[in-house]
Amino acid sequence: MKKTGVFYGSSTGTCEDIAGRIAVRLGVDSADVHNVADLTADMIAGYDVLVLGSSTWGCGELQDDWYDALELLRKTGLQGKTVALFGCGDSESYGDTFCDALGALYEGLKDSGCTFAGGGVSVDGYTFESSTAVVDGCFVGLAIDDVNESDLTDGRIGAWAEAVKAEIG
């Protein structure tokens, strides 16, 4: 598999946990799992594939560390890179902004020159009102509600990780 780094923004530890579980399913070494607060241009350059995840805060906001990181990713440029996205949200309490941070990552990077992998995740089986992470009827990456649907998390990660591996080779 291509050199892959997993980057997460997490305030409570949930997204960090999900990042670690995704890394295991993708066969990514724990040394290649990073808090996005530590992101540098050299780190970006060191990976062919970037798996990026954020928890959703407030009314659909990115996790705080992502604002600077997103700017660095755009400034550095992602030509020739593959990007896979995941997001954490709470579909019960925030059903109208479910995993909007996932949508914000996609919007922020869609013109960066990268190729996306792991998109087109069906909304079937999810319960929510609205999400900016849904484009053409599918999530742009993996959407996780580990608060209310933790019993579905491992299955969702597994299916998504297999799809990503098939896309990136």
Side-chain angles (χ1 to χ4, degrees):
M1 190 163 86
K2 296 177 180 173
K3 182 73 172 161
T4 301
V6 179
F7 297 86
Y8 63 87
S10 187
S11 296
T12 65
T14 300
C15 196
E16 178 179 6
D17 175 62
I18 298 301
R21 291 158 73 179
I22 286 171
V24 168
R25 294 303 288 261
L26 290 174
V28 173
D29 189 271
S30 62
D32 293 310
V33 179
H34 308 279
N35 186 327
V36 76
D38 302 324
L39 184 69
T40 66
D42 286 342
M43 291 169 83
I44 296 166
Y47 293 106
D48 303 306
V49 179
L50 304 171
V51 179
L52 310 175
S54 178
S55 50
T56 301
W57 286 92
C59 296
E61 307 283 323
L62 279 168
Q63 190 272 347
D64 288 343
D65 296 323
W66 269 107
Y67 291 100
D68 289 340
L70 196 54
E71 185 59 33
L72 177 61
L73 286 163
R74 284 193 291 247
K75 195 183 311 178
T76 303
L78 298 177
Q79 292 78 10
K81 305 279 185 192
T82 300
V83 171
L85 303 173
F86 69 97
C88 299
D90 178 341
S91 63
E92 192 172 295
S93 298
Y94 300 96
D96 58 338
T97 58
F98 178 61
C99 286
D100 276 3
L102 174 61
L105 288 175
Y106 175 77
E107 284 298 317
L109 297 175
K110 70 179 185 181
D111 296 324
S112 68
C114 71
T115 300
F116 286 103
V121 175
S122 175
V123 297
D124 293 344
Y126 289 87
T127 304
F128 64 98
E129 296 168 36
S130 177
S131 177
T132 60
V134 175
V135 175
D136 296 329
C138 292
F139 288 110
V140 295
L142 176 62
I144 293 289
D145 181 351
D146 205 49
V147 174
N148 303 296
E149 299 175 338
S150 60
D151 57 318
L152 300 174
T153 298
D154 285 334
R156 287 175 173 165
I157 290 172
W160 182 76
E162 289 306 311
V164 170
K165 286 194 286 189
E167 288 181 58
I168 63 176

